[in-house]
């Protein structure tokens, strides 16, 4: 497994432009690494993250007089969403601004009673980028997406669980244990099947499902050594030993 830790605790792990370059480098590395079977994203200190510094987006807008803008934070979150490995967001304390979308880009989000979130875009005069609006609407539904973006009210951990932002809510002292258990479960599964299922589910949710590409991946899986090992292990009532081939 891989662990990515945001480490700017004095500023609630706020992300700066140089951080985006580092994180994009991690994403590129992970896309090529067939040995990593799960990724955990976490923040150091009291909070998960305060998101991306809005002043950096304003600087980009100021440098471009007309036309659409390239948003480097949007590109990062999209890259994280498309990682082939399943991803887990370890959420504690504040999940603010753009970091809410970064967490939504993960496959699983586990929080504690102290976890809270809010999206202050409208309060700051910001129209959010399109893929972020799509993720919110896709994962939380139109009703909750509108509540988050139009009202911008703070939501506590129980509310985050209720609207489906959190997959699970666990006591703070059990958070690391639960993350470890989920990570181990993901690492124990067949990598080809896990990656194929994640890719297909995300594509279906985005309305971009490619049946031809999926059938090729399905055929690869059906001919894989992992499927033979999984069937043999099931029959022999033992734990399988998957190789990813």
């Amino acid at each position: 497994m891989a662990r990515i830790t945001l480490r700017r605790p004095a500023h609630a792990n706020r992300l700066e432009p140089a951080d985006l370059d580092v994180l994009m480098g991690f994403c590129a590395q992970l896309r090529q690494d067939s040995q990593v079977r799960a990724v955990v994203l976490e923040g150091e200190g009291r909070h998960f993250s305060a998101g991306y510094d809005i002043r950096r987006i304003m600087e980009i807008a100021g440098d471009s007089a007309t036309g659409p803008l390239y948003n480097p934070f949007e590109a990062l979150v999209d890259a994280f969403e498309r990682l082939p490995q399943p991803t887990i967001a370890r959420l504690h304390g504040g999940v603010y601004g753009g970091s809410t979308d970064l967490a939504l880009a993960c496959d699983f989000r586990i929080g504690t009673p102290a976890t809270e979130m809010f999206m202050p875009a409208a309060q700051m005069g910001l129209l959010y980028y399109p893929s972020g609006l799509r993720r919110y609407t896709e994962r939380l539904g139109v009703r909750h997406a509108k509540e988050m973006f139009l009202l911008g009210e703070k939501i506590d951990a129980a509310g985050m669980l209720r609207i489906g932002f959190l997959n699970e809510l666990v006591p703070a002292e059990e958070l690391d244990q639960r993350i470890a258990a989920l990570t181990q479960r993901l690492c124990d599964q067949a990598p080809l099947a896990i990656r194929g299922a994640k890719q297909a589910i995300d594509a279906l949710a985005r309305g971009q499902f490619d049946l031809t590409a999926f059938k090729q991946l399905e055929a690869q899986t059906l001919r894989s050594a992992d499927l033979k090992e999984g069937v043999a292990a099931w029959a022999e009532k033992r734990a399988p030993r998957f190789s990813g081939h």
Side-chain angles (χ1 to χ4, degrees):
M1 58 86 71
R3 185 182 300 274
I4 299 174
T5 307
L6 308 179
R7 287 179 169 156
R8 189 171 282 114
H11 299 282
N13 297 319
R14 181 184 67 212
L15 294 169
E16 298 289 350
D19 303 324
L20 304 191
D21 293 337
V22 173
L23 290 167
M24 284 293 271
F26 289 160
C27 288
Q29 181 180 343
L30 286 166
R31 282 195 299 270
Q32 301 301 318
D33 195 333
S34 61
Q35 299 304 308
V36 174
R37 299 188 183 183
V39 179
V40 174
L41 178 64
E42 63 182 7
E44 185 178 276
R46 292 181 55 229
H47 300 289
F48 174 68
S49 175
Y52 189 54
D53 190 343
I54 184 61
R55 292 170 295 184
R56 306 307 183 188
I57 298 296
M58 294 172 65
E59 290 172 0
I60 294 172
D63 292 338
S64 178
T66 60
L69 303 176
Y70 171 75
N71 186 330
F73 183 74
E74 178 182 20
L76 169 66
V77 181
D78 290 350
F80 209 87
E81 180 184 38
R82 286 171 168 77
L83 285 177
Q85 298 92 346
T87 51
I88 303 172
R90 177 189 181 277
L91 303 179
H92 64 286
V95 186
Y96 303 138
S99 75
T100 62
D101 191 33
L102 186 57
L104 276 177
C106 294
D107 300 302
F108 303 95
R109 293 166 294 282
I110 313 301
T112 72
T115 306
E116 62 179 21
M117 67 178 285
F118 76 96
M119 170 52 70
Q123 298 174 45
M124 302 176 70
L126 175 68
L127 178 59
Y128 216 66
Y129 52 83
S131 70
L133 292 171
R134 186 262 305 164
R135 257 182 299 275
Y136 259 87
T137 304
E138 179 184 289
R139 287 159 170 71
L140 305 181
V142 172
R143 171 191 166 188
H144 297 310
K146 286 184 176 180
E147 288 173 350
M148 291 298 302
F149 279 97
L150 305 188
L151 297 176
E153 295 177 335
K154 189 171 289 186
I155 300 180
D156 63 14
M160 294 170 71
L161 183 65
R162 175 179 56 81
I163 68 175
F165 190 94
L166 291 178
N167 292 85
E168 295 182 31
L169 184 58
V170 300
E173 63 272 16
E174 297 178 14
L175 179 60
D176 288 331
Q177 180 181 353
R178 182 56 181 152
I179 295 292
L182 286 173
T183 304
Q184 188 61 56
R185 178 69 175 173
L186 291 169
C187 289
D188 287 344
Q189 307 285 58
L192 289 177
I194 285 282
R195 293 184 180 212
K198 172 179 174 172
Q199 179 181 322
I201 292 168
D202 284 347
L204 285 164
R206 290 193 298 266
Q208 299 174 347
F209 183 71
D210 184 332
L211 181 59
T212 300
F214 178 81
K215 294 300 288 184
Q216 292 175 345
L217 185 60
E218 179 189 32
Q220 178 187 358
T221 306
L222 287 171
R223 298 184 180 108
S224 69
D226 275 356
L227 181 58
K228 294 182 177 66
E229 166 62 13
V231 171
W234 186 273
E236 297 165 13
K237 296 182 173 55
R238 60 172 174 81
R241 297 180 290 274
F242 294 120
S243 64
H245 299 97

